[in-house]
Each structure stands twice: as C-alpha cells, then as structure tokens.
Amino acid sequence: HGCFWHWCPEHFRLPKSRSAHWRLHIGRNVSRHRRSARKLRRLGYRVAVVWEHDLPRKPKGRPLCTR
C-alpha cells in the first residue's frame, strides 16, 4: 500500500486543502481494500499488506529488479 493513498497509520497526513474530499476519497480506498481482504480470507487465502515505506529503496541509477 502507498502511504498516502491507503491511510498509512505511520506516515499519512491529511492535506490541508480540500481535506473533506481527501478524507472521503482515501476512506473509500481503505474500505474497498478491507472488503477485498475479507473476501480473499473467506476463500482461504492469507492476505499480507506491505506498506510502501517497508520496501527497500531503489539505489540511484540501478534497476530495482533485473532479468
């Protein structure tokens, strides 16, 4: 999940402009992902949430993955 778009509990900061719009918009993202995770769990899947800030940073000038 991206920290802004998915309301990261550690890094999310609601914008000062149009805050009502962003609260509603991002709140819908969070609700949709919770519903999706619930459905997947009911189907027997394990759901892992990986936050953007937990991923390794891409070194300058180097691809994150290679073939």
Side-chain angles (χ1 to χ4, degrees):
H1 288 331
C3 290
F4 178 76
W5 295 107
H6 303 278
W7 217 308
C8 167
E10 290 182 48
H11 299 109
F12 178 77
R13 298 291 176 266
L14 189 65
K16 292 181 189 212
S17 64
R18 301 181 64 206
S19 56
H21 162 80
W22 287 113
R23 185 178 290 112
L24 181 64
H25 183 81
I26 296 169
R28 286 184 192 142
N29 286 351
V30 172
S31 296
R32 183 177 60 249
H33 288 118
R34 284 183 182 153
R35 283 192 312 272
S36 297
R38 201 174 311 119
K39 287 178 186 178
L40 288 167
R41 285 186 189 103
R42 276 193 225 126
L43 292 170
Y45 291 93
R46 284 190 279 171
V47 177
V49 174
V50 179
W51 287 99
E52 167 183 41
H53 62 261
D54 290 330
L55 296 174
R57 299 250 179 231
K58 177 181 165 186
K60 242 182 182 175
R62 307 194 84 193
L64 194 56
C65 2
T66 58
R67 291 183 208 195

